[in-house]
Amino acid sequence: MLRRGWFLPIAAVLGFAFLYAPIVSLVLFSFNENRLVTVWTGFSLKWYGELFRDPQMINAAILSLQIAAIAATIALVLGTLAAVALVRFRRFRGRTLFSGMVSAPLVMPDVITGLSLLLLFVAMESMLGWPQGRGILTIVIAHATFCTAYVCVVVQSRLSDFDRSLEEAAMDLGASPVRTFFDITLPIIAPALVSGWLLGFTLSLDDLVIASFVSGPGSSTLPMVIFSKVRLGVSPDVNALATIIIGIVAIGVLIATIIQLRARPKKARA
Amino acid sequence: MTNTHEPTYPPPRRLRPWNAVEKRLARVGITGRMLVLAAPLLWLLVFFLIPLFVVFGISLATKQFGRPPFSPLLTSEEGTVQLTLHLNNYIRLFTDNLYVAAYLSSIRIAFIATIITLLIGYPMAYAIARAPGPWRNILLMLVILPFFTSLLLRVYALTGFMRGNGVINQFLGLFGIEPLVMMQTDFAVYVGLVYTYLPFMILPLYTNLVKLDASLLEASADLGARPVRTFLSITLPLSLPGIVAGSMLVFIPAIGEFVIPSLLGGPETLMIGRVLWDEFFSATNWPRAAAVAVAMLVVVVVPIMLLQRAQGAVVEK
């Protein structure tokens, strides 16, 4: 057996402390009574109350949740189709271009994605008359595009490590490819679909840069409102909002992880 | 006549219409495969690839007042179509010191941040990969969790940490140490980049290191190599694809980063994402912003290709 040094555990503990200390302090100070975010004067929920009385924040949150739900759903369909094509169709014309287009949005700097889509929408509007102006529709399209890439990666890894003989058996028994997909493949990759959708949803909810480019007047998403507030300095109601979002995300990730772990116990233990 | 004793199988009627549709489409040469491919392919062509060409096209226009705020590339007058290409945006990029300095400083900041992230992320990924089974998943989830939390909010959390009267300075104050100026400096930008992109580094490294064959390490130790030697001649070379993939996943988005330099950096922190943003939103010079984006794409193309190759290698092994 290999010697276990002290270096790795200590490095890991320090690393995790670095990742979590700012988040923990943010959450703690959201319950602080004082307006000066850093001086602790007493426990209070007043910033949460203030948050829910701020119509700008509430409207932006509702808008962002709607956009995220629609964009994640579109991305789920497109990303799954793309993953099936990449994993199941060994060879087809334009495969390199296709796989490049699927994975490039993952790393494309946000400012380029945002600017390029805005310029596309402007060009399309002047040539085709669609989309008229910019707003929810254009943000949904932009978010669905980069979320597709993420969904595809998640579904791809699930598709490539499950037993293909199940699909082959179904086909041998006379099921059409479509039937095989819905009866065999879909239930097996369902956990990946859930986590892909959740990933798309949170990424859409988080995006500031791309949405800033493609949004129009009256369609300010939550990150846009937060950014304009934060730019002016620290405000405790943003702490409260951040705490709520982090709580929701933590629960979501926890559920997604449990689903994923339950779904592949046979393989993981090997 | 009823045969109740025999099990009855429902006829596979549910998807039968599909078969008819399939047959009809096959007659015109459209296969099921093409249908699966069509939607994502068309979507990505229209909303990912074509926009990049549009950016290139508009980078060859020039700013003018009106809607849209740039000159048309094609104009037709009395039956002649004229194509007007302006190169002045690109000429400005190379001659105006602001742009050259911004590109160089973006590359430098992204590079240094990538190295620091690698130095912090590698031991963490290795520790997680070597952790006992159940711990591994918990630690991995702890890495993924911040990745899901809004970048904006995490950067905001950092500002609360590093401000003049922030958590760090209050802590130092307990020991009578003078408060440090951290916000609005390049230092804060590095902290922000490392903090934000650490999960991007750890995940591919972990995927790579977890597949490392422990018997190789044992063999090396049995042959008398010390841990450092074993690490340098076995672990490190074998984890190279993970190092490249993780580094590129940090470097590429860091180059074009906007939120971090604008919230944590000072006015002198020059980064190209911020220049593009200002060019677009403050100066409303769309063609110039497009030219900045094209030049940024040129900078990230090689790293993106490196990433594609490294990711293939990480997944294969």
Side-chain angles (χ1 to χ4, degrees), chain A residues 9-54:
Chain A
I10 290 175
V13 168
L14 287 179
F16 279 112
F18 172 60
L19 273 182
Y20 279 91
I23 296 177
V24 170
S25 94
L26 174 101
V27 170
L28 284 181
F29 280 107
S30 75
F31 298 108
N32 189 10
E33 190 211 344
N34 202 309
R35 170 158 270 285
L36 293 168
V37 185
T38 43
V39 185
W40 183 265
T41 48
F43 180 84
S44 157
L45 290 175
K46 75 173 176 192
W47 302 117
Y48 289 86
E50 199 136 299
L51 183 68
F52 286 110
R53 279 192 298 274
D54 185 346

Coordinates of all heavy atoms in Angstrom, one line a residue, chain A residues 9-54:
Chain A
P9 N -4.2 15.8 1.9 CA -5.3 16.1 2.7 C -5.3 17.6 3.1 O -6.4 18.3 3.1 CB -5.2 15.2 4.0 CG -4.4 14.1 3.6 CD -3.5 14.6 2.5
I10 N -4.2 18.1 3.5 CA -4.1 19.5 4.0 C -4.4 20.4 2.8 O -5.2 21.4 2.9 CB -2.7 19.8 4.5 CG1 -2.5 19.1 5.9 CG2 -2.5 21.3 4.7 CD1 -1.1 19.2 6.5
A11 N -3.8 20.1 1.6 CA -4.1 20.9 0.4 C -5.6 20.9 0.1 O -6.2 22.0 -0.2 CB -3.3 20.4 -0.8
A12 N -6.2 19.7 0.3 CA -7.7 19.6 0.0 C -8.5 20.5 0.9 O -9.4 21.2 0.5 CB -8.1 18.2 0.0
V13 N -8.1 20.4 2.2 CA -8.9 21.1 3.2 C -8.8 22.6 3.0 O -9.8 23.4 3.0 CB -8.4 20.8 4.7 CG1 -9.0 21.7 5.7 CG2 -8.8 19.3 5.0
L14 N -7.5 23.1 2.7 CA -7.3 24.5 2.5 C -8.1 24.9 1.2 O -8.7 26.0 1.2 CB -5.8 24.8 2.3 CG -5.0 24.8 3.6 CD1 -3.5 25.1 3.2 CD2 -5.5 25.8 4.6
G15 N -8.0 24.1 0.2 CA -8.7 24.4 -1.1 C -10.2 24.6 -0.8 O -10.8 25.5 -1.3
F16 N -10.8 23.6 -0.1 CA -12.2 23.7 0.1 C -12.6 24.9 1.0 O -13.6 25.6 0.9 CB -12.8 22.4 0.8 CG -13.0 21.4 -0.3 CD1 -12.2 20.2 -0.3 CD2 -14.0 21.5 -1.2 CE1 -12.4 19.2 -1.3 CE2 -14.2 20.6 -2.2 CZ -13.4 19.4 -2.2
A17 N -11.7 25.2 2.0 CA -11.9 26.4 2.8 C -11.9 27.7 1.9 O -12.8 28.5 2.1 CB -10.8 26.6 3.8
F18 N -11.0 27.7 0.9 CA -11.0 28.9 0.0 C -12.3 28.9 -0.8 O -12.8 30.0 -1.0 CB -9.8 28.7 -0.9 CG -9.7 29.7 -2.0 CD1 -9.6 31.0 -1.8 CD2 -9.6 29.2 -3.3 CE1 -9.5 31.9 -2.9 CE2 -9.6 30.1 -4.4 CZ -9.5 31.4 -4.2
L19 N -12.8 27.8 -1.2 CA -14.0 27.8 -2.0 C -15.2 28.2 -1.2 O -16.1 28.8 -1.7 CB -14.3 26.4 -2.6 CG -13.6 26.0 -3.9 CD1 -14.0 24.6 -4.3 CD2 -14.0 27.0 -5.0
Y20 N -15.2 27.8 0.1 CA -16.5 28.0 0.8 C -16.5 29.2 1.8 O -17.6 29.6 2.1 CB -16.8 26.7 1.5 CG -17.5 25.7 0.6 CD1 -16.8 24.8 -0.1 CD2 -18.9 25.8 0.4 CE1 -17.4 24.0 -1.1 CE2 -19.5 25.0 -0.6 CZ -18.7 24.1 -1.3 OH -19.4 23.3 -2.2
A21 N -15.3 29.6 2.2 CA -15.3 30.7 3.2 C -16.1 32.0 2.8 O -17.0 32.5 3.5 CB -13.9 31.1 3.6
P22 N -15.9 32.5 1.5 CA -16.7 33.6 1.1 C -18.2 33.4 1.1 O -19.0 34.2 1.4 CB -16.1 34.0 -0.3 CG -14.8 33.3 -0.3 CD -14.9 32.1 0.5
I23 N -18.6 32.2 0.6 CA -20.0 31.9 0.5 C -20.6 31.8 1.9 O -21.7 32.4 2.2 CB -20.2 30.5 -0.2 CG1 -19.7 30.6 -1.6 CG2 -21.7 30.1 -0.2 CD1 -19.8 29.4 -2.4
V24 N -19.9 31.2 2.9 CA -20.4 31.0 4.2 C -20.6 32.4 4.9 O -21.6 32.7 5.5 CB -19.5 30.2 5.1 CG1 -19.9 30.2 6.6 CG2 -19.5 28.7 4.6
S25 N -19.6 33.3 4.6 CA -19.7 34.6 5.2 C -20.8 35.4 4.6 O -21.5 36.2 5.3 CB -18.3 35.4 5.1 OG -18.3 36.2 4.0
L26 N -21.0 35.2 3.3 CA -22.1 35.9 2.6 C -23.5 35.5 3.2 O -24.3 36.3 3.5 CB -22.1 35.5 1.1 CG -23.2 36.0 0.3 CD1 -22.8 37.2 -0.5 CD2 -23.7 34.9 -0.7
V27 N -23.6 34.2 3.5 CA -24.9 33.7 4.0 C -25.0 34.2 5.5 O -26.1 34.7 5.8 CB -24.8 32.1 4.0 CG1 -26.0 31.6 4.8 CG2 -24.9 31.6 2.6
L28 N -24.0 34.2 6.3 CA -24.1 34.7 7.7 C -24.5 36.1 7.7 O -25.4 36.5 8.4 CB -22.7 34.5 8.4 CG -22.4 33.1 8.8 CD1 -21.0 33.1 9.5 CD2 -23.4 32.6 9.8
F29 N -23.9 36.9 6.9 CA -24.2 38.4 7.0 C -25.5 38.7 6.4 O -26.0 39.8 6.6 CB -23.0 39.2 6.3 CG -21.9 39.4 7.2 CD1 -20.7 38.7 7.0 CD2 -22.0 40.2 8.3 CE1 -19.6 38.8 7.9 CE2 -20.9 40.4 9.2 CZ -19.7 39.7 9.0
S30 N -26.2 37.8 5.7 CA -27.5 38.1 5.2 C -28.5 38.1 6.4 O -29.6 38.7 6.3 CB -28.0 37.0 4.2 OG -28.3 35.8 4.8
F31 N -28.1 37.5 7.5 CA -28.9 37.6 8.7 C -28.5 38.7 9.7 O -29.0 38.7 10.8 CB -28.9 36.2 9.4 CG -29.4 35.1 8.6 CD1 -28.6 34.1 8.1 CD2 -30.8 35.0 8.3 CE1 -29.0 33.1 7.3 CE2 -31.3 33.9 7.5 CZ -30.4 33.0 7.0
N32 N -27.6 39.5 9.2 CA -27.1 40.6 10.1 C -28.1 41.8 10.1 O -28.7 42.1 9.0 CB -25.8 41.1 9.6 CG -25.1 42.0 10.5 OD1 -25.6 42.2 11.7 ND2 -24.0 42.6 10.1
E33 N -28.3 42.4 11.2 CA -29.2 43.4 11.3 C -28.7 44.7 10.7 O -29.4 45.6 10.2 CB -29.6 43.6 12.8 CG -30.7 44.5 13.1 CD -30.5 45.3 14.4 OE1 -29.7 44.8 15.2 OE2 -31.2 46.3 14.6
N34 N -27.4 44.9 10.8 CA -26.7 46.2 10.4 C -26.7 46.4 8.9 O -26.5 45.4 8.2 CB -25.3 46.2 11.0 CG -24.8 47.6 11.2 OD1 -24.8 48.3 10.2 ND2 -24.3 47.9 12.3
R35 N -26.8 47.6 8.5 CA -26.7 47.9 7.1 C -25.2 47.7 6.6 O -25.0 47.3 5.5 CB -27.2 49.3 6.8 CG -26.9 49.8 5.4 CD -27.8 50.9 5.0 NE -29.0 50.4 4.3 CZ -29.0 49.9 3.1 NH1 -28.0 49.8 2.4 NH2 -30.2 49.5 2.6
L36 N -24.3 48.0 7.5 CA -22.9 47.8 7.1 C -22.7 46.3 7.2 O -22.7 45.7 8.3 CB -21.9 48.4 8.2 CG -21.9 49.9 8.2 CD1 -21.2 50.5 9.4 CD2 -21.3 50.5 6.9
V37 N -22.5 45.7 6.0 CA -22.6 44.2 5.9 C -21.6 43.5 6.8 O -21.8 42.4 7.1 CB -22.5 43.8 4.4 CG1 -22.7 42.4 4.3 CG2 -23.4 44.6 3.6
T38 N -20.5 44.2 7.1 CA -19.4 43.4 7.7 C -19.4 43.5 9.2 O -18.7 42.7 9.9 CB -18.1 43.8 7.2 OG1 -18.1 45.3 7.1 CG2 -17.8 43.3 5.8
V39 N -20.2 44.4 9.8 CA -20.2 44.5 11.3 C -21.4 43.8 11.8 O -22.5 44.1 11.5 CB -20.2 46.0 11.7 CG1 -20.1 46.1 13.2 CG2 -19.1 46.7 11.0
W40 N -21.2 42.8 12.6 CA -22.3 42.0 13.2 C -22.9 42.7 14.4 O -22.2 42.9 15.3 CB -21.8 40.6 13.6 CG -22.9 39.7 14.0 CD1 -23.3 39.5 15.3 CD2 -23.7 38.9 13.2 NE1 -24.4 38.6 15.3 CE2 -24.7 38.3 14.0 CE3 -23.8 38.7 11.8 CZ2 -25.6 37.4 13.6 CZ3 -24.8 37.9 11.3 CH2 -25.7 37.2 12.2
T41 N -24.2 43.0 14.3 CA -24.8 43.6 15.4 C -26.0 42.8 16.0 O -26.4 43.0 17.1 CB -25.4 45.0 15.0 OG1 -26.1 44.9 13.8 CG2 -24.3 46.0 14.9
G42 N -26.5 41.9 15.2 CA -27.6 41.1 15.8 C -28.3 40.3 14.7 O -28.2 40.7 13.5
F43 N -29.0 39.3 15.1 CA -29.7 38.4 14.1 C -31.0 39.2 13.6 O -31.7 39.8 14.4 CB -30.1 37.1 14.7 CG -30.8 36.2 13.8 CD1 -30.1 35.4 12.9 CD2 -32.2 36.1 13.8 CE1 -30.8 34.6 12.0 CE2 -32.9 35.3 12.9 CZ -32.1 34.5 12.0
S44 N -31.2 39.1 12.3 CA -32.4 39.8 11.8 C -32.8 39.2 10.5 O -31.9 38.7 9.7 CB -32.2 41.3 11.7 OG -33.0 41.8 10.8
L45 N -34.1 39.2 10.2 CA -34.5 38.7 8.9 C -35.0 39.9 8.0 O -35.7 39.7 7.0 CB -35.7 37.7 9.0 CG -35.3 36.4 9.6 CD1 -36.5 35.5 9.8 CD2 -34.3 35.6 8.7
K46 N -34.6 41.1 8.5 CA -35.3 42.3 7.8 C -34.9 42.4 6.4 O -35.6 42.9 5.6 CB -35.0 43.6 8.6 CG -33.6 44.1 8.5 CD -33.6 45.5 9.2 CE -32.2 46.1 9.2 NZ -32.0 47.2 10.0
W47 N -33.7 42.0 6.0 CA -33.2 42.1 4.6 C -34.1 41.2 3.7 O -34.3 41.5 2.5 CB -31.7 41.8 4.4 CG -31.0 42.8 5.3 CD1 -30.1 42.4 6.3 CD2 -30.9 44.2 5.2 NE1 -29.6 43.6 6.9 CE2 -30.1 44.7 6.2 CE3 -31.6 45.1 4.4 CZ2 -29.9 46.0 6.5 CZ3 -31.3 46.5 4.6 CH2 -30.5 46.9 5.6
Y48 N -34.5 40.1 4.3 CA -35.4 39.2 3.5 C -36.7 39.9 3.2 O -37.3 39.8 2.1 CB -35.6 37.8 4.2 CG -34.3 37.0 4.2 CD1 -33.3 37.2 5.1 CD2 -34.1 36.1 3.2 CE1 -32.2 36.4 5.1 CE2 -32.9 35.4 3.1 CZ -32.0 35.5 4.1 OH -30.8 34.8 4.0
G49 N -37.2 40.5 4.3 CA -38.4 41.3 4.1 C -38.3 42.4 3.1 O -39.2 42.5 2.2
E50 N -37.2 43.1 3.1 CA -37.0 44.2 2.2 C -36.9 43.6 0.8 O -37.4 44.2 -0.2 CB -35.6 44.8 2.5 CG -35.5 46.2 1.9 CD -34.9 47.2 3.0 OE1 -35.5 47.4 4.0 OE2 -33.8 47.6 2.7
L51 N -36.3 42.5 0.6 CA -36.1 41.8 -0.7 C -37.5 41.6 -1.3 O -37.7 41.9 -2.5 CB -35.3 40.5 -0.5 CG -35.0 39.7 -1.8 CD1 -34.0 40.5 -2.6 CD2 -34.5 38.4 -1.4
F52 N -38.4 41.0 -0.5 CA -39.7 40.6 -1.0 C -40.6 41.8 -1.2 O -41.7 41.7 -1.8 CB -40.4 39.6 -0.1 CG -39.7 38.2 -0.3 CD1 -39.0 37.7 0.7 CD2 -39.9 37.5 -1.5 CE1 -38.4 36.5 0.6 CE2 -39.2 36.3 -1.6 CZ -38.5 35.8 -0.6
R53 N -40.2 43.0 -0.7 CA -41.0 44.2 -1.0 C -40.5 45.0 -2.2 O -41.0 46.0 -2.5 CB -41.1 45.1 0.3 CG -42.1 44.6 1.3 CD -42.3 45.6 2.4 NE -41.1 45.8 3.1 CZ -40.7 45.1 4.2 NH1 -41.5 44.1 4.6 NH2 -39.6 45.4 4.8
D54 N -39.4 44.5 -2.8 CA -38.8 45.2 -3.9 C -39.3 44.7 -5.2 O -39.0 43.6 -5.7 CB -37.3 45.0 -3.8 CG -36.5 45.8 -4.9 OD1 -37.2 46.3 -5.8 OD2 -35.3 45.9 -4.8

